[in-house]
Amino acid sequence: GAVVSQHPSWVICKSGTSVKIECRSLDFQATTMFWYRQFPKQSLMLMATSNEGSKATYEQGVEKDKFLINHASLTLSTLTVTSAHPEDSSFYICSARDSTSGDYNEQFFGPGTRLTVL
Amino acid sequence: AQSVTQLDSQVPVFEEAPVELRCNYSSSVSVYLFWYVQYPNQGLQLLLKYLSGSTLVKGINGFEAEFNKSQTSFHLRKPSVHISDTAEYFCAVGRKTSGSRLTFGEGTQLTVNP
């Protein structure tokens, strides 16, 4: 149980285009999903917290107009990188919190999406 | 706010040797503690977690960790490592508040050599 998928697993795009990454909780409902960015040999940096049915909460320094997050259902959140540039190339990881877990905030992580912007 | 410090960025060991990956945290409130493992180009997999109760926590793949409140530490240990344990390990802390985010340490690269 507690499986989180991401699609695509990797994507290459041209500079200036937009890319959408999906994060799905396959066997549980997730009222909260988190989006992280990870540069090579570095830790995970939280970009935003996504709550089902409401606007995402972005961390300081993360451009909300560039990284659009939609959490339209209890099993799906999407991250759209708009007008991508080479500096947006990174490994993007989502996680989902089981809404039935009470005050125990374990997150289940997706396998990540490798974005390369040419 | 809370913070996590992983004291070693890289830990090289030989196969079948014991290993300890160190993690210290700071927080003004009670927290949950986690260790995750990340293999190359993959997401994070939970190794073990401390929520409450016994301070010695056993996880998957033969790993265990001990919560030490007085020293604010949560060190990860394995008595005998395998080549397959080579990976990046992250310590994380989360407040005991529903839906709160996790704060990650910088990670420790464990390399097991034959």
Side-chain angles (χ1 to χ4, degrees), chain A residues 43 59 104-106 114, chain B residues 38 41 46 49 100-101 105:
Chain A
S43 188
E59 295 299 304
Y104 162 41
N105 58 353
E106 180 179 356
R114 173 74 60 191
Chain B
Q38 184 181 34
N41 295 309
L46 181 67
K49 56 184 179 282
S100 70
R101 64 180 191 175

Side-chain angles (χ1 to χ4, degrees), chain B residues 41-58:
Chain B
N41 295 309
Q42 294 187 27
L44 273 65
Q45 180 183 8
L46 181 67
L47 278 177
L48 47 79
K49 56 184 179 282
Y50 172 77
L51 306 180
S52 64
S54 173
T55 58
L56 183 62
V57 179
K58 293 189 181 297

Side-chain angles (χ1 to χ4, degrees), chain B residues 1-40:
Chain B
Q2 57 262 19
S3 65
V4 180
T5 302
Q6 290 183 241
L7 298 166
D8 306 292
S9 60
Q10 297 188 43
V11 174
V13 295
F14 289 108
E15 192 173 18
E16 298 183 5
V19 70
E20 178 180 81
L21 306 184
R22 297 179 294 169
C23 172
N24 286 94
Y25 71 95
S26 66
S27 177
S28 58
V29 298
S30 295
V31 296
Y32 297 131
L33 294 158
F34 306 85
W35 274 99
Y36 289 89
V37 61
Q38 184 181 34
Y39 299 100

Side-chain angles (χ1 to χ4, degrees), chain A residues 4-60:
Chain A
V4 176
S5 70
Q6 279 184 243
H7 178 80
S9 56
W10 58 271
V11 57
I12 301 173
C13 69
K14 293 182 178 180
S15 185
T17 61
S18 294
V19 174
K20 179 184 286 188
I21 303 170
E22 293 185 349
C23 177
R24 293 181 185 273
S25 57
L26 299 185
D27 49 4
F28 66 98
Q29 294 185 331
T31 53
T32 304
M33 289 184 172
F34 302 86
W35 286 96
Y36 296 86
R37 183 174 182 175
Q38 186 181 31
F39 292 106
K41 305 296 184 183
Q42 294 188 26
S43 188
L44 281 70
M45 182 192 78
L46 180 64
M47 299 175 65
T49 302
S50 168
N51 293 296
E52 186 266 338
S54 63
K55 292 184 178 181
T57 301
Y58 290 82
E59 295 299 304
Q60 190 173 9

Side-chain angles (χ1 to χ4, degrees), chain B residues 57-77:
Chain B
V57 179
K58 293 189 181 297
I60 63 171
N61 301 342
F63 284 94
E64 63 180 32
E66 186 160 17
F67 170 58
N68 188 318
K69 187 174 182 179
S70 62
Q71 297 187 7
T72 61
S73 68
F74 191 54
H75 301 334
L76 180 70
R77 303 186 183 96

